[in-house]
Amino acid sequence: MTDTTEKPVLVETADGIRTVTLNHPRRKNAANAPVWDGLQAAFADAAKDPAVRVLVLTGAGGDFCAGADLSGDRAGVHPLSRMHRINDVAMALHDLPIPTIAKVSGVAVGAGWNLALGCDLVVAERDARFSQIFAKRGLSLDFGGSWLLPRIVGLQQAKRLALLAEIIGAEEAERLGLVTYVVEPGTIDAFVADLATTLAAGAPVALAQSKRMLNENADKTLREALESEARAQTINFAGTDAPAAYEAFLAKREPVFTGGWAAK
């Protein structure tokens, strides 16, 4: 694919699935300012579009993302302002109410790996490579890595990944819980399409609430988590999807979920 500077991020939507592609392949999709801005806009648009049920995040040209592009002109921009811009993208991804899938080929390093980890599910080709490269660049973790890694792999493994900045393969990443599925090269498009189609057919309100509770309740007490679950189920009972699922179960057919509101 040609590196199209006018379109640093490509966005396509079909059948409720929004595909967002980092389009900076000459630098392995390293994210510069236009890419960060494009991601921010893509996530914001997906969050407010009820027709979008799933977001797939990927990279052009055979790589996912080589991290932040440090080669651009940064004159006159305070480093804290640059980091706040990147942080806004991380929060926009985290706050998306729809399921998100990272489709990873090639490299996912530094902020690029944490961009993938910010998604709900990570699908990687078997020959993909990952690294928290920051230490080798004289930098510390960013794009949420200090929050994501210990929650996924535990503190000791998080320290290993952050302090040693090793390059690991997809199978090791899967063993650590950092990749959800490993697939053979050449099969990832079909696999992710099937996965996204399954998620897009799900009950959108129920899935959004489950996602939010899983993101938030790790830092809450059991009592607080149970209370948030009770609120979520109350909302589900007042919608159209739970009754539709029950009727489909009785009729021995697949339900059709719309995310509607049935309460009067």
Side-chain angles (χ1 to χ4, degrees):
M1 179 181 290
T2 301
D3 189 1
T4 307
T5 55
E6 293 81 9
K7 293 184 177 180
V9 173
L10 306 178
V11 179
E12 299 178 71
T13 305
D15 301 322
I17 301 167
R18 172 74 50 88
T19 301
V20 177
T21 304
L22 283 73
N23 188 38
H24 195 196
R26 290 179 185 173
R27 296 191 62 82
K28 297 183 182 295
N29 300 313
N32 54 18
V35 171
W36 292 127
D37 290 346
L39 288 174
Q40 176 78 24
F43 297 156
D45 185 70
K48 65 185 181 184
D49 188 344
V52 177
R53 305 280 285 265
V54 179
L55 186 140
V56 175
L57 184 60
T58 191
D63 287 293
F64 185 76
C65 179
D69 187 347
L70 303 178
S71 66
D73 181 10
R74 296 173 284 170
V77 180
H78 195 284
L80 188 58
S81 296
R82 293 200 305 271
M83 289 310 305
H84 283 164
R85 174 191 230 164
I86 294 172
N87 289 350
D88 287 344
V89 180
M91 285 307 306
L93 175 60
H94 179 77
D95 289 340
L96 272 174
I98 56 176
T100 54
I101 304 169
K103 183 167 72 171
V104 180
S105 300
V107 299
V109 301
W113 190 6
N114 293 334
L115 179 64
L117 293 178
C119 294
D120 301 314
L121 303 173
V122 180
V123 182
E125 290 189 316
R126 191 169 301 279
D127 55 2
R129 304 180 307 284
F130 303 84
S131 177
Q132 294 289 329
I133 197 71
F134 303 97
K136 292 184 178 178
R137 302 290 183 263
L139 298 170
S140 305
L141 297 172
D142 65 19
F143 209 84
S146 64
W147 189 87
L148 290 162
L149 286 172
R151 282 165 173 76
I152 299 171
V153 302
L155 185 57
Q156 290 298 319
Q157 290 293 343
K159 289 178 178 178
R160 164 202 163 186
L161 294 167
L163 302 182
L164 296 177
E166 301 168 286
I167 297 174
I168 66 172
E171 292 181 347
E172 171 71 356
E174 183 185 35
R175 185 186 70 81
L176 292 170
L178 295 160
V179 165
T180 319
Y181 303 100
V182 174
V183 299
E184 295 302 324
T187 69
I188 194 168
D189 289 343
F191 186 93
V192 170
D194 288 344
L195 184 60
T197 298
T198 298
L199 289 168
V205 175
L207 292 183
Q209 292 183 104
S210 289
K211 173 177 174 173
R212 181 172 180 176
M213 288 189 294
L214 288 169
N215 282 338
E216 293 179 349
N217 285 353
D219 296 325
K220 293 182 178 179
T221 65
L222 175 59
R223 187 177 301 279
E224 290 170 328
L226 289 170
E227 188 59 32
S228 65
E229 290 174 1
R231 287 194 297 269
Q233 293 295 45
T234 300
I235 292 170
N236 292 328
F237 290 141
T240 59
D241 286 342
Y246 183 67
E247 291 172 6
F249 171 74
L250 294 178
K252 297 182 179 180
R253 56 174 173 78
E254 290 297 316
V256 176
F257 296 122
T258 64
W261 183 251
K264 303 297 183 181

